[in-house]
Amino acid sequence: MNIFNRFRDELKKIVEDMIKAGTLPAEAREAVISLEPPRDPKHGDLSTNAALVLAKSAGSEPRDLAAQIARRLAALKHVDSAVTAGPGFINLRVGDAFWQARIKDILKAGSRYGDSKLGAGQKVNVEYVSANPTGPMHVGHVRGAVFGDALANLLSKVGYKVTKEYYINDAGAQIDNLARSVYMRYCEALGRQIGKMPEDFYPGDYLVPVGRQLADELGDLHLDQPEEVWLELFRHRTSTAMMEIIKGDLAVLGIEHEVFFSERQLVASGRIEETLETLKNKGLLYEGVLDPPKGRMPEDWEARPQTLFRSTKFGDDVDRPLRKSDGSYTYFAADIAYHYDKLKRGFLIQIDVLGADHGGYVKRIGASLKALSDGKAELDVRLCQLVRLYQDGEPVKMSKRAGTFVTLRELVEKVGRDVVRFIMLTRKNDAPLDFDFAKVTEQSRENPVFYVQYAHARVCSVLKKAAAAFPKMKFRHRSLARADMSLLSSPVEISLIRKMTEWPRLVEAASQAHEPHRVAFYLYDLASEFHSLWNRGNEETDLRFVIAGNPELTRARMAMIVAVSLVIASGLEVLGVEPVEEMH
């Protein structure tokens, strides 16, 4: 239960009553009123700007209107006080009994606590990773992979129907050069000396097995044959082999996509032509000459007539070309067709998770989707900044072409899947992230993944101690929910419960903002409150979770800490991290 929505509904009823009484005009029903935690917890449990929003239409001073609303709020069940503050804010303080009752809500919901119907079953396509199939996944791919997967999980939790999709960039010059690189490995497997790879080729050893397999299968059939004879076959087989490696790498990280969409098949299917015809019929294509780019002039730039998309009509900076000088389509033309295909599959909400170097594509892709959907579809492009990897205090450099990159598998094998996933979400996606091997594996409060998992493991440990002290006590959720929660009266216990009740609101807010890092931040704060209470018990024995000779208080506190573990498990599920029962 989102308690903020609950009190917002109560506030709406008050507004409706005031409209009927003639205190507020009818348009007050349409006002956007916020109800959220006050910045300073000392001011109360909830704060609303209702009077500030409604005062003008009511023809009243905000503080005078706030006093009227506050009197009505104070009369609500569970509200201990409603006090006006500042220019017209209203701060509410809720009674302990309300917070104590929330423990039962959490125990009843289990790890589904925080689930919501906010998305109402709307279809959402989250496209992420989408790395060129030119080799194994490396550290540079990990952040976008984890971010996209966690975002998809978060959206599913609030009721969206999410499809996780990978766009395979298996068309273009890079794939041709990859196929040529494998052909050289094929020749090498047949005993030829291949020498140094050309600069644009891929020299990594990961292509050796692919070349050897083709040599075993084909023998010398394509040895010394012209490129046009073998290129298509090698291109297909190499891309397929690389995608199998990539899928295996992602599985190590706990990521599975439901749809893999091939750019090569998109091109071959004629969907680019179909998409451009649609834009043409909308009057959005024309033949024109672009102005020269600002700044340093590219050596290959030339002023020439081109087929252009009127993207400026939909918020872009300039109109965009759809054909190259050789008559082939630009990358942008394929991107438009791909997003149009997703639109035709029913995805009015599309999310692309891309690397930071794709910033220039955001406006143009958004413009094309607006044009094709007549403004009905939404596109959110999330750019993930680089991960800076450190080992022994020194940065680790990567180069896929040189074959000296740190692979995703190596990273997971070194520190574990849970560590990788959690740490990748400890910064907002558009902020750089440092991944220090020493820091992410240390067992301290400074390591967030350890600190959160330790909270869950510590709950499991306390439960074992309680079971030893009270052998007849039952610890199933249903049994604990019948505990006398009024015994949880300490301010620090109420504070912990309040923190847990923030979870449903946090889930909805993070999903709407497309910011799964908020979940990691929240879990750290919740773990901190739990550990703080546990530590207080070392000094103040009456705050210990297990109280010898007092089974009822112990039972209530077991209910409270089990609720903590359930909220942590709910959050870790979103992040794709296991809630461990023991720390090693």
Side-chain angles (χ1 to χ4, degrees), residues 9 24 38 104 111 182 240 246 254 274 304 346 405 491 536-537 566:
D9 290 341
L24 291 174
K104 295 181 181 180
S111 62
V182 169
T240 301
I246 288 171
E274 175 191 343
R304 61 181 180 82
F405 52 87
R536 285 278 294 272
L566 289 171

Side-chain angles (χ1 to χ4, degrees), residues 284-292 301-310 318-325:
L284 298 175
L285 299 187
Y286 69 99
E287 295 297 314
V289 178
L290 288 174
D291 293 333
W301 188 87
E302 59 176 320
R304 61 181 180 82
Q306 293 176 284
T307 300
L308 302 174
F309 163 54
R310 298 184 188 276
V318 296
D319 290 343
R320 302 292 178 176
L322 300 176
R323 286 186 184 275
K324 301 177 184 178
S325 57

Side-chain angles (χ1 to χ4, degrees), residues 100-133:
Q100 292 157 351
R102 305 286 70 80
I103 295 293
K104 295 181 181 180
D105 295 340
I106 299 171
L107 293 172
K108 182 179 178 180
S111 62
R112 296 184 64 83
Y113 182 62
D115 286 10
S116 166
K117 296 180 180 179
L118 178 71
Q122 295 179 81
K123 293 178 65 174
V124 179
N125 184 289
V126 184
E127 182 228 321
Y128 58 108
V129 187
S130 300
N132 294 338

Side-chain angles (χ1 to χ4, degrees), residues 112-413:
R112 296 184 64 83
Y113 182 62
D115 286 10
S116 166
K117 296 180 180 179
L118 178 71
Q122 295 179 81
K123 293 178 65 174
V124 179
N125 184 289
V126 184
E127 182 228 321
Y128 58 108
V129 187
S130 300
N132 294 338
T134 54
M137 301 291 292
H138 59 69
V139 174
H141 300 126
V142 175
R143 191 174 187 186
V146 172
F147 174 86
D149 205 53
L151 177 56
N153 294 341
L154 183 61
L155 293 169
S156 294
K157 191 170 182 67
V158 297
Y160 288 96
K161 187 177 180 181
V162 180
T163 295
K164 301 178 179 181
E165 184 154 325
Y166 185 119
Y167 182 54
I168 308 173
N169 296 112
D170 53 357
Q174 288 188 80
I175 301 301
D176 287 347
N177 285 339
L178 182 72
R180 294 178 181 116
S181 303
V182 169
Y183 180 77
M184 292 184 71
R185 294 299 186 184
Y186 161 78
C187 295
E188 182 180 50
L190 293 172
R192 291 287 178 90
Q193 294 294 322
I194 61 172
K196 184 179 179 180
M197 288 270 189
E199 184 177 346
D200 291 335
F201 283 26
Y202 294 82
D205 290 341
Y206 59 88
L207 294 179
V208 172
V210 184
R212 186 181 300 120
Q213 182 178 351
L214 285 167
D216 292 341
E217 180 182 335
L218 302 173
D220 61 0
L221 178 64
H222 294 296
L223 201 61
D224 299 325
Q225 291 295 310
E227 185 176 281
E228 58 267 21
V229 173
W230 52 260
L231 182 61
E232 179 58 34
L233 171 65
F234 275 65
R235 186 164 46 200
H236 171 71
R237 295 294 294 275
T238 302
S239 296
T240 301
M242 292 302 100
M243 282 308 303
E244 288 303 310
I245 292 174
I246 288 171
K247 290 177 182 179
D249 290 344
L250 291 172
V252 169
L253 203 53
I255 293 175
E256 293 184 6
H257 290 81
E258 289 134 350
V259 175
F260 287 86
F261 193 101
S262 166
E263 180 186 1
R264 180 167 292 277
Q265 292 180 11
L266 176 79
V267 173
S269 68
R271 272 172 279 188
I272 296 180
E273 290 80 2
E274 175 191 343
T275 303
L276 267 55
E277 185 66 22
T278 301
L279 290 173
K280 181 179 179 181
N281 292 338
K282 289 175 176 286
L284 298 175
L285 299 187
Y286 69 99
E287 295 297 314
V289 178
L290 288 174
D291 293 333
K294 297 179 181 179
R296 185 176 179 181
M297 183 77 69
E299 293 181 1
D300 59 349
W301 188 87
E302 59 176 320
R304 61 181 180 82
Q306 293 176 284
T307 300
L308 302 174
F309 163 54
R310 298 184 188 276
S311 53
T312 51
K313 187 176 179 180
F314 303 93
D316 199 2
D317 299 326
V318 296
D319 290 343
R320 302 292 178 176
L322 300 176
R323 286 186 184 275
K324 301 177 184 178
S325 57
D326 61 2
S328 63
Y329 293 115
T330 62
Y331 288 120
F332 179 49
D335 287 340
I336 296 177
Y338 172 51
H339 287 81
Y340 188 39
D341 185 272
K342 287 194 279 191
L343 180 65
K344 293 176 71 176
R345 284 185 269 149
F347 293 110
L348 291 177
I349 304 175
Q350 300 181 21
I351 302 171
D352 292 354
V353 181
L354 305 174
D357 57 339
H358 288 75
Y361 286 88
V362 176
K363 285 187 177 181
R364 66 187 74 174
I365 295 175
S368 68
L369 191 60
K370 284 180 184 177
L372 289 164
S373 69
D374 297 322
K376 296 176 182 178
E378 303 173 27
L379 175 68
D380 184 20
V381 180
R382 291 279 149 169
L383 301 177
C384 289
Q385 283 290 342
L386 297 175
V387 175
R388 295 179 294 221
L389 193 64
Y390 290 87
Q391 189 167 25
D392 299 326
E394 296 294 328
V396 178
K397 297 181 180 180
M398 298 174 294
S399 170
K400 179 179 284 193
R401 290 194 183 277
T404 58
F405 52 87
V406 177
T407 67
L408 180 155
R409 286 177 185 260
E410 289 171 334
L411 185 65
V412 173
E413 288 171 1

Side-chain angles (χ1 to χ4, degrees), residues 433-480:
L433 186 147
D434 292 344
F435 192 99
D436 190 309
F437 283 113
K439 292 182 179 179
V440 302
T441 54
E442 68 181 18
Q443 296 191 349
S444 75
R445 180 173 181 166
E446 303 306 314
N447 180 1
V449 63
F450 165 79
Y451 202 54
V452 172
Q453 286 188 317
Y454 186 34
H456 189 276
R458 181 168 266 176
V459 170
C460 296
S461 175
V462 173
L463 286 171
K464 291 178 182 177
K465 291 180 180 178
F470 300 97
K472 294 183 180 180
M473 187 178 290
K474 296 180 180 179
F475 296 96
R476 291 182 179 178
H477 298 173
R478 183 178 299 177
S479 177
L480 290 175

